[in-house]
Amino acid sequence: MSAVNPSQANGGTVDLPPFSLDVQALDLGEGIKSVGMELLGTESREPVRGAEAAEIWAAALQGLCGNEPFVLDFFSHIERVTAFCEMQEIAFREATGRCIVLTQPDEQQVRKLFERFEAETFGMRAGAAAQNPDSDLEEALSHRGLDAYQAAYARYTFCAVCEPEDGWITVLSNTLWTSEVIRRVRPAVQAFDIHIARPQ
């Protein structure tokens, strides 16, 4: 008598991973190339939040960057961000206007930032250009928020708008299409019980 596979015990249904990362091209207007990544509970279809989400996002973004330099941009609640970075020994610089730039935090530091500032919207830039201050962009971030990336992302491998509370990251890039985002992210999140999908 052969053993029954638990995943097929209920009418042949297959157990699905608890998390899903949906990756899809977005239409943000003419001439803007973007890909959305949405982290959801597979069954609930609700955004994943908290420590588990922070860990997954940190790994996914590390995979997306690969070996390229990157920075994180914060432009609200500057005092709280600064105090947290000092406490966690995360390197940062005060940029033009009200913008704090975090220079190449490691994966664990990114995880802590996603968990601590889950309710905030912040940005990320990756590519060779991220090694140098970008005063025009940083000034624009201070006044216009992350909309400023739309005029600047072509200078980078990608810019990203991070909205952890909504389970959402928008990647603006002229070189990273949906398939390339998946190719980079998949091995980085392999350690998690997560399904990567391209919604139709």
Side-chain angles (χ1 to χ4, degrees), residues 9-23:
N10 297 320
T13 59
V14 176
D15 288 336
L16 294 172
F19 306 121
S20 293
L21 185 65
D22 290 354
V23 183

Side-chain angles (χ1 to χ4, degrees), residues 70-136:
F70 70 91
V71 298
L72 297 180
D73 296 313
F74 284 82
F75 57 90
S76 62
H77 304 290
I78 297 303
E79 294 77 14
R80 286 199 291 124
V81 175
T82 300
F84 184 80
C85 288
E86 289 173 343
M87 184 174 65
Q88 297 292 332
E89 299 183 340
I90 299 172
F92 70 91
R93 62 179 172 83
E94 297 182 13
T96 307
R98 286 185 58 78
C99 181
I100 296 291
V101 178
L102 282 53
T103 309
Q104 200 85 26
D106 63 32
E107 188 173 324
Q108 287 308 308
Q109 291 172 330
V110 172
R111 178 187 61 77
K112 291 176 182 178
L113 287 159
F114 265 79
E115 191 169 0
R116 173 65 179 83
F117 298 105
E118 180 177 69
E120 307 299 332
T121 298
F122 51 93
M124 181 178 195
R125 294 174 272 153
Q131 296 178 92
N132 303 307
D134 189 335
S135 56
D136 289 342

Side-chain angles (χ1 to χ4, degrees), residues 153-167:
Y153 75 87
R155 300 199 294 270
Y156 296 86
T157 301
F158 71 86
C159 292
V161 177
C162 304
E163 301 170 284
E165 190 169 45
D166 295 329

Side-chain angles (χ1 to χ4, degrees), residues 7 12 27 44 62 68 95 97 130 134 153 165 173 177 194 196:
S7 67
D27 183 2
S44 70
Q62 190 67 55
E68 297 190 76
D134 189 335
Y153 75 87
E165 190 169 45
S173 177
W177 305 101
I194 188 168
I196 298 179

